[in-house]
Amino acid sequence: MKKSWIIRVFWGTLMLGMAMGAKAQVADMRVGELLNSSDWFTLEKEYPLLKDSVQTPLLGLMSEALLGYYFNRPDETVACVDSLLRYHQEELGLDNITSMLMVRSATEAKRGNYAVAADVLKDFASQLRAQGVEMDYTPIDKAVQHYNYSRNYPPMSVERSEGDVVIAMANDNIVLKIENDTVPRGTTLQVPVVVGGKEYQAIFDTGSGSTFMSAAFAEKVGVNVVADSFLIQGGRQVYGYWGFMDSMRLGGITVRNIPVAINPDTTLNKVADIDFLIGADVMALLGEVQIFPHDGKIVVPAQPTAKPADGSNMYMDGSSLIIKGESGGKAYGFLFDTGNGMAALSYSFYERNKVEIDMKAKRVRRLTGGVGAVEERDVLVLPVWALSFGGRSLEFRDMVVTIEGDKLVPYAGNIGMALVNQFEKVAINFDDCFVVFE
């Protein structure tokens, strides 16, 4: 589940009337190109080298605002957006002003400043409406409504014991409630979580933007529902509820004021008992989690892993973890989803690699889906496909490729436990946005 806004810079309008040296012009054009293509990994790597040559202040501020947003530097994002709006409104234009305010609002919401997040957008929309500006206010109004649901709740917080915290974990095979199901489904991580003095099992799911529960389970553990028309993006878009849980305990860690997405749809539970997921927003609050898939534990270290010399290989789109991978010498962004027992390539990846995939893959009918949709559909299955992550070349067997132009598999693909299980240890650092595979 994720929320995202499309952010684009209209480069052609920014270049009008500009005269500069060749080096500066190259720098500005390169930064504009990377912004327009949303190539955040490359921009994060190249911008520090180009920064001093960039001659258009708007470009520099926009780059730093968005890099701060995607690579978890919220103070940088807020400061740069404020400067953009203070000094460059005319150059930005209404579309980019709107996008920048959406980014600022989302940044405040991630920090738990829900009232600020709502009011930033509400005040903006009110001013435009008062001036008679005609535009589609729907995305703004929906964001305001969502943040308003949470405005009276304090930010999520963590209390932990000193030293490394070890959380017991089971990495078990996924077994669906389907007779004679012989399709490999991979494994899933489950951890014990104490809520209200009782222990339950929850899936440790980096692919879920927030803690997630079925409606029956949320009622059982006393989640306080604050909204009954919350849009959940899963296998299909379904409307659920939004609420807050007072606290939960994982090992030696207590998490308080947890936002919870609640799913009233029972489609998924017809094939699998999925009542409780711990999402990426909780993990991000911990700073770093280290998964030991073959040793039955997850460690939250007291001393985080040092950032690799080659920098960030992960960014966060909202609370979705996007990791950098390579295929055939080309870089791609993949959703890192430990709630997926296997791995899958998206339709967009298929289109870019169609000739090779068609030569190697077999077309089959497979039961696929997620929240709101579990159904058989045609997919391609690759006996083996090579991808590189963290500088390591890996083979993925029985790789599913989506051949329908939908959003069931986002980005270049959904990479889950088929990646994690190839290593002894996977350290995910949210503070500095990197993953280390050992």
Side-chain angles (χ1 to χ4, degrees):
M1 295 171 288
K2 71 183 185 71
K3 302 185 293 294
S4 63
W5 293 281
I6 297 174
I7 302 160
R8 290 288 184 269
V9 181
F10 299 102
W11 174 245
T13 63
L14 297 180
M15 283 296 294
L16 291 177
M18 293 177 60
M20 60 187 72
K23 181 179 179 181
Q25 189 175 26
V26 169
D28 282 39
M29 292 187 69
R30 177 60 173 165
V31 170
E33 174 190 349
L34 294 174
L35 284 169
N36 277 322
S37 62
S38 302
D39 189 348
W40 309 121
F41 286 123
T42 304
L43 185 62
E44 171 77 353
K45 181 178 181 179
E46 293 187 10
Y47 181 74
L49 304 175
L50 297 170
K51 180 178 179 179
D52 290 342
S53 298
V54 172
Q55 296 297 300
T56 309
L58 181 151
L59 273 181
L61 286 170
M62 186 169 283
S63 297
E64 292 170 29
L66 293 176
L67 290 175
Y69 173 73
Y70 286 110
F71 292 94
N72 196 27
R73 299 189 289 267
D75 290 341
E76 181 178 317
T77 295
V78 170
C80 289
V81 170
D82 286 349
S83 292
L84 280 166
L85 298 177
R86 185 176 298 117
Y87 302 115
H88 301 284
Q89 283 197 32
E90 187 173 341
E91 297 166 82
L92 278 170
L94 182 57
D95 287 340
N96 283 317
I97 289 172
T98 304
S99 293
M100 288 296 99
L101 281 171
M102 293 286 257
V103 166
R104 191 192 192 290
S105 182
T107 300
E108 294 290 2
K110 284 182 70 174
R111 297 199 285 194
N113 299 330
Y114 307 117
V116 174
D119 292 344
V120 163
L121 294 178
K122 180 182 177 181
D123 292 347
F124 173 62
S126 295
Q127 291 176 33
L128 294 181
R129 285 182 166 118
Q131 296 169 18
V133 176
E134 293 186 4
M135 62 178 287
D136 181 7
Y137 288 94
T138 305
I140 298 174
D141 292 341
K142 285 185 175 180
V144 170
Q145 182 184 50
H146 176 61
Y147 298 143
N148 268 330
Y149 293 151
S150 308
R151 70 181 299 128
N152 294 323
Y153 284 83
M156 187 162 48
S157 63
V158 166
E159 300 166 8
R160 56 171 293 171
S161 55
E162 294 183 2
D164 293 350
V165 176
V166 179
I167 302 169
M169 175 267 290
N171 184 17
D172 295 331
N173 289 326
I174 296 172
V175 179
L176 300 185
K177 296 185 288 186
I178 301 173
E179 290 187 13
N180 303 316
D181 181 35
T182 59
V183 175
R185 305 291 180 182
T187 67
T188 188
L189 305 176
Q190 297 206 35
V191 296
V193 182
V194 176
V195 182
K198 296 182 180 180
E199 184 175 289
Y200 305 94
Q201 293 296 311
I203 296 174
F204 198 78
D205 186 359
T206 61
S208 178
S210 67
T211 295
F212 176 90
M213 295 179 181
S214 67
F217 187 82
E219 183 177 4
K220 179 164 63 174
V221 299
V223 173
N224 183 27
V225 177
V226 297
D228 59 4
S229 59
F230 174 70
L231 185 62
I232 299 172
Q233 177 67 55
R236 292 267 168 81
Q237 287 188 344
V238 298
Y239 280 92
Y241 314 135
W242 185 250
F244 281 81
M245 183 165 58
D246 289 339
S247 67
M248 64 183 178
R249 188 166 180 83
L250 298 90
I253 296 172
T254 299
V255 187
R256 302 189 185 280
N257 309 315
I258 306 107
V260 181
I262 303 167
N263 175 35
D265 184 87
T266 59
T267 303
L268 189 58
N269 286 71
K270 293 177 182 177
V271 295
D273 292 321
I274 299 176
D275 286 320
F276 188 9
L277 308 178
I278 302 298
D281 59 344
V282 172
M283 300 177 206
L285 203 61
L286 303 178
E288 178 174 318
V289 295
Q290 300 173 352
I291 301 171
F292 294 81
H294 310 297
D295 289 339
K297 64 181 180 181
I298 293 172
V299 176
V300 181
Q303 184 66 38
T305 304
K307 189 173 184 177
D310 55 357
S312 296
N313 61 350
M314 178 186 89
Y315 68 81
M316 290 184 283
D317 185 355
S319 294
S320 295
L321 277 59
I322 313 304
I323 57 171
K324 183 179 180 180
E326 293 186 1
S327 178
K330 298 177 182 178
Y332 297 88
F334 296 87
L335 177 66
F336 188 25
D337 180 5
T338 57
N340 177 5
M342 299 286 285
L345 298 174
S346 68
Y347 182 72
S348 65
F349 185 93
Y350 172 64
E351 287 187 311
R352 293 180 65 176
N353 298 272
K354 187 176 187 301
V355 174
E356 184 178 1
I357 291 174
D358 284 345
M359 287 175 58
K360 297 179 177 179
K362 179 180 179 181
R363 191 182 185 105
V364 300
R365 294 283 289 179
R366 278 280 176 92
L367 187 70
T368 63
V371 175
V374 176
E375 59 193 16
E376 285 195 342
R377 63 178 67 198
D378 286 344
V379 298
L380 299 178
V381 176
L382 288 159
V384 63
W385 188 266
L387 295 171
S388 295
F389 292 94
R392 298 170 181 260
S393 182
L394 307 167
E395 288 188 345
F396 292 81
R397 300 190 178 278
D398 297 316
M399 176 75 88
V400 170
V401 184
T402 302
I403 54 176
E404 299 178 14
D406 59 24
K407 297 181 180 179
L408 187 60
V409 180
Y411 305 95
N414 182 315
I415 304 298
M417 293 303 297
L419 171 61
V420 174
N421 283 329
Q422 297 197 48
F423 296 94
E424 296 300 319
K425 173 184 175 183
V426 177
I428 309 171
N429 187 292
F430 293 82
D431 289 343
D432 291 322
C433 288
F434 64 85
V435 184
V436 174
F437 302 95
E438 298 178 6

